Amino acid sequence: MGRPRSRAPAVSWIAPALAGKPAEERQATPTEVLLQDKSGSSKSPARAYYMNKPLRILILEDQPADAELVTCELRKAGLEFVAKTVATENEFLAELRNSAPELILADYSLPGYHGLSALAAAQKQCPETPFIFVSGTLGEEKAIETLHLGATDYVFKQRLAQLGRVVQRALRERETIRMVRQAEQSVRELNLMLRATGAINALIVRERDPQRLLAEACHILVETRGYRFAWIGQVEPGSKRVVPMARAGKDADYLDAVTITWDETPTGQGPIGTAIRTGQPVVSQDMASEPRFAPWKAAAMARGFASMAMMPMIHGSRVLGAVAVYSGRTGAFHEEELELLKELAADLALALQSIEHEQERKRAEEHLRQVSNRLLLATEAAGIGIWDLDLLQDKLVWDDAMYRLYGTSPEQSTGAYEAWRAGVHPKDQARANEDLQMALRSQNGFHTEFRVLWPDKSVHYIKANGLVQRDAS
């Protein structure tokens, strides 16, 4: 059922080592990607990344005039932002916890609070956020020391015109690091997905119980790939309901709180209903903003689901159900992983169809065995023998009862046909043979009576009935 797949190549990413250099010595990293607008003009990566939403900036400054000069320089640089200025430790820590700033600009020395303490708090609360010192009392030596302690950059208030350029560079670097980490994470997740699909395909080969197959597949997706929740639903015969057949994950009770169908009603308009109804994958990288997910949003958000992927299980023209996986972070599914999930759903559909055919074959064989046993009991009770004449092979086949009716046994004769010719009474042989030939010509069936002569010379009467069957050719 599994198909051989090429493994993803190992990819190494190296983040540019820029920390520890003063602003004047630091150059834009060559690995940055410039974005373009529709006219084809290049835009700064930092500005392009934030152009659809204002940048949230937290300013730690006890002098309102200096804070105003800072925001003025940022506007000159063309940045769209929303700034919050605080002057005390409590205000600063509260903003770190509540507002998730995307950039922090801090004075080095304030009454009752030190810039290095603010840096330490920011590194603990939001380590990915660029932290830039903007100070008039910070000397060159201390400024470089702040870089070693984790600050992103520094700007002297006497050179505030440099602020816009320094901020844009810091945002570019943060975006580059984010992209590098995202790529590294994608490679890790792809390798985990390859391990999961390999394990499930091995499971498909050996497991012939559909319930155990689906349950173990969900378990592997959660434990090996690391999804928060995984379940597999199948179409209920004769209805539009999607029946959960297997589930795995910490939030398995999620399915108890929702009703899922694949019809045109509101409960059928969700991702898995849509996937089954259309036969196409449905992916939401941000469930909180997905309108179609409204009927199930509250239950999903309460369990920490952030993104999901639904892959229909298709075999031929038949959609058997769908595989559903959930992640606790937005944007969790990249193209290569989605392709592997799609292939996995197809593998499971083929396995289920194969198991279904195998079960049907076993049921047919069992039914035939039961019919044969009943027929055997009936023929034995009635003293009836069954025979079959193959005209092409000129071969007559008897069951055991036929040998008893002719007073002989397979061991005492060279074959059923010879036993029949030798057993028919000499005076009845011509008529019996003529009746057989007439039946073959007319295809009306074979019905006759004749005497048989046993080896002990006793005479017995036989009534024979037969049907003529011809090959389709």
Side-chain angles (χ1 to χ4, degrees):
M1 256 76 50
R3 293 183 288 275
R5 307 184 179 97
S6 59
R7 294 185 66 84
V11 178
S12 297
W13 294 82
I14 301 176
L18 297 177
K21 295 183 179 180
E24 290 78 3
E25 298 178 16
R26 299 167 69 177
Q27 303 297 322
T29 168
T31 60
E32 70 186 32
V33 179
L34 293 179
L35 305 182
Q36 292 186 328
D37 60 19
K38 293 182 179 180
S39 64
S41 62
S42 297
K43 295 183 178 180
S44 161
R47 293 179 64 185
Y49 180 66
Y50 290 107
M51 63 184 178
N52 292 326
K53 59 178 182 178
L55 182 68
R56 297 189 302 275
I57 301 178
L58 176 59
I59 302 175
L60 178 60
E61 175 60 68
D62 64 322
Q63 298 295 326
D66 287 352
E68 180 62 30
L69 289 174
V70 165
T71 58
C72 182
E73 288 298 329
L74 294 177
R75 292 190 186 94
K76 288 181 181 179
L79 288 172
E80 295 183 13
F81 61 91
V82 174
K84 173 74 173 184
T85 301
V86 296
T88 67
E89 177 181 5
N90 289 338
E91 291 175 334
F92 181 76
L93 296 179
E95 287 299 315
L96 287 183
R97 290 191 301 268
N98 301 326
S99 66
E102 295 168 310
L103 174 66
I104 299 173
L105 304 176
D107 198 352
Y108 184 76
S109 181
L110 299 96
Y113 195 41
H114 198 280
L116 292 181
S117 298
L119 174 62
Q123 289 176 323
K124 182 178 180 180
Q125 187 70 32
C126 48
E128 306 297 327
T129 301
F131 190 106
I132 300 174
F133 278 109
V134 182
S135 176
T137 62
L138 185 65
E140 192 74 36
E141 184 176 341
K142 287 185 178 180
I144 295 176
E145 180 184 351
T146 64
L147 299 181
H148 292 294
L149 292 174
T152 306
D153 214 326
Y154 59 87
V155 174
F156 299 129
K157 289 184 178 180
Q158 298 87 337
R159 306 175 188 172
L160 205 55
Q162 297 178 353
L163 180 60
R165 176 170 56 84
V166 170
V167 165
Q168 289 183 342
R169 181 170 54 243
L171 295 176
R172 286 197 301 268
E173 291 173 6
R174 189 186 77 161
E175 178 63 8
T176 298
I177 292 172
R178 186 193 68 81
M179 292 173 63
V180 167
R181 290 178 177 172
Q182 185 179 52
E184 291 173 339
Q185 183 173 10
S186 295
V187 171
R188 286 193 300 270
E189 291 175 346
L190 183 59
N191 286 330
L192 292 174
M193 189 63 198
L194 285 168
R195 287 175 54 192
T197 54
I200 293 174
N201 277 307
L203 174 70
I204 286 173
V205 172
R206 68 176 186 272
E207 183 57 72
R208 306 313 295 165
D209 181 277
Q211 187 61 49
R212 287 198 298 265
L213 170 63
L214 298 182
E216 184 61 21
C218 287
H219 177 77
I220 291 171
L221 287 171
V222 170
E223 295 300 322
T224 301
R225 167 55 185 85
Y227 292 126
R228 187 176 184 90
F229 180 52
W231 69 284
I232 297 175
Q234 287 189 266
V235 174
E236 184 179 58
S239 80
K240 295 291 186 177
R241 289 184 63 241
V242 179
V243 181
M245 301 302 294
R247 65 184 81 180
K250 297 179 180 179
D251 303 284
D253 65 332
Y254 166 66
L255 297 178
D256 300 331
V258 297
T259 299
I260 301 175
T261 64
W262 59 281
D263 53 15
E264 298 294 341
T265 65
T267 58
Q269 300 304 305
I272 201 162
T274 302
I276 292 175
R277 187 174 60 256
T278 64
Q280 297 295 323
V282 175
V283 180
S284 174
Q285 300 286 13
D286 186 359
M287 294 170 63
S289 61
E290 180 63 60
R292 292 178 300 173
F293 198 69
W296 309 273
K297 181 177 178 179
M301 296 300 101
R303 290 162 177 80
F305 300 158
S307 58
M308 62 182 174
M310 312 291 172
M311 296 293 163
M313 296 189 298
I314 303 174
H315 181 67
S317 59
R318 181 184 175 192
V319 181
L320 284 74
V323 178
V325 293
Y326 299 75
S327 173
R329 65 181 180 84
T330 58
F333 301 100
H334 47 83
E335 184 178 352
E336 294 85 353
E337 182 168 6
L338 291 173
E339 188 61 31
L340 287 174
L341 279 169
K342 183 178 179 181
E343 291 181 9
L344 176 61
D347 289 344
L348 287 171
L350 179 58
L352 291 174
Q353 192 73 16
S354 174
I355 292 173
E356 182 179 320
H357 289 166
E358 184 176 316
Q359 292 176 340
E360 289 176 353
R361 177 182 58 79
K362 289 181 178 179
R363 286 193 293 268
E365 290 175 349
E366 176 61 20
H367 177 71
L368 180 60
R369 187 187 65 80
Q370 293 177 0
V371 170
S372 298
N373 289 339
R374 294 190 185 102
L375 180 60
L376 178 61
L377 290 173
T379 55
E380 288 180 348
I384 296 173
I386 299 176
W387 56 276
D388 183 80
L389 175 61
D390 188 337
L391 297 176
L392 293 179
Q393 301 291 331
D394 194 25
K395 183 178 180 181
L396 183 65
V397 178
W398 278 358
D399 68 355
D400 291 340
M402 285 294 295
Y403 283 100
R404 291 194 297 269
L405 289 174
Y406 278 75
T408 184
S409 67
E411 294 78 13
Q412 294 174 325
S413 64
T414 58
Y417 193 69
E418 291 77 9
W420 178 77
R421 289 195 303 176
V424 176
H425 196 283
K427 292 184 178 181
D428 293 345
Q429 286 182 2
R431 180 173 53 82
N433 186 65
E434 177 59 28
D435 289 344
L436 177 61
Q437 297 302 319
M438 184 179 298
L440 294 175
R441 290 192 298 270
S442 65
Q443 301 188 46
N444 290 330
F446 177 56
H447 308 283
T448 188
E449 294 183 15
F450 52 84
R451 294 168 293 176
V452 295
L453 194 63
W454 283 20
D456 64 1
K457 306 304 180 182
S458 61
V459 177
H460 300 262
Y461 287 85
I462 296 290
K463 182 176 182 180
N465 295 293
L467 296 174
V468 178
Q469 291 183 335
R470 298 184 182 275
D471 294 339
S473 58

